[in-house]
Amino acid sequence: MNSSRPYLIRALYEWIVDNDCTPHLLVSSEHAGVQVPAGFSSDGQIVLNVSPSAVRHMHMDNEAVSFEGRFGGVPHSLYVPTAAVLAIYARENGQGMVFDLEAPQEAEQVEDGDGDDQDPPDGEPPRPSGRPSLKVVK
């Protein structure tokens, strides 16, 4: 199943903009594939103002968020894989969502697509691998 992160990022971005607030992304600048201006990150993270008035050519899809922005008056093209987005929130009130850092997708594809799935012996039902990930919430 696809990650829900890119869908949530797009939905929250639209919600923040519709409420006349300023959307900001908290990004792990050390994540593979992240292209942000050098010298503007702190502790491996960078906060990006992604309001429609602050950026040009904004594009959000399931793989990444990309746009052009100015840093110190100098234009830069930025590319942020959705897995590197740690949070999206409104500057004015802090409302938004925080995400866990995701592992790169290449590792997941190797695990899922190895093709060595063996059928269980005759008469035995397939066994689930690992522990269930659902929890009872009261």
Side-chain angles (χ1 to χ4, degrees):
M1 188 171 224
N2 293 337
S3 172
S4 61
R5 183 182 305 226
Y7 301 95
L8 293 169
I9 292 169
R10 289 192 299 268
L12 286 165
Y13 176 86
E14 187 174 326
W15 174 69
I16 292 167
V17 170
D18 285 352
N19 283 284
D20 296 321
C21 291
T22 309
H24 279 64
L25 293 178
L26 175 63
V27 175
S28 171
S29 58
E30 296 174 343
H31 193 275
V34 172
Q35 296 174 3
V36 296
F40 289 93
S41 61
S42 175
D43 296 328
Q45 299 178 344
I46 187 169
V47 176
L48 303 170
N49 176 351
V50 290
S51 68
S53 62
V55 301
R56 293 179 47 187
H57 307 296
M58 171 75 102
H59 180 74
M60 288 190 254
D61 61 24
N62 289 353
E63 285 75 41
V65 177
S66 60
F67 57 92
E68 292 178 9
R70 292 175 101 48
F71 289 79
V74 179
H76 293 273
S77 292
L78 288 85
Y79 183 85
V80 178
T82 55
V85 175
L86 300 175
I88 180 169
Y89 62 93
R91 179 186 67 201
E92 291 79 2
N93 57 22
Q95 291 190 4
M97 183 175 283
V98 177
F99 303 102
D100 290 332
L101 187 60
E102 284 185 358
Q105 286 187 339
E106 291 84 19
E108 293 173 16
Q109 290 174 349
V110 169
E111 282 181 24
D112 293 342
D114 61 359
D116 285 339
D117 295 337
Q118 296 179 351
D119 294 327
D122 292 334
E124 288 185 35
R127 295 183 189 175
S129 60
R131 299 186 69 183
S133 61
L134 298 176
K135 296 180 183 179
V136 176
V137 178
K138 294 182 180 184

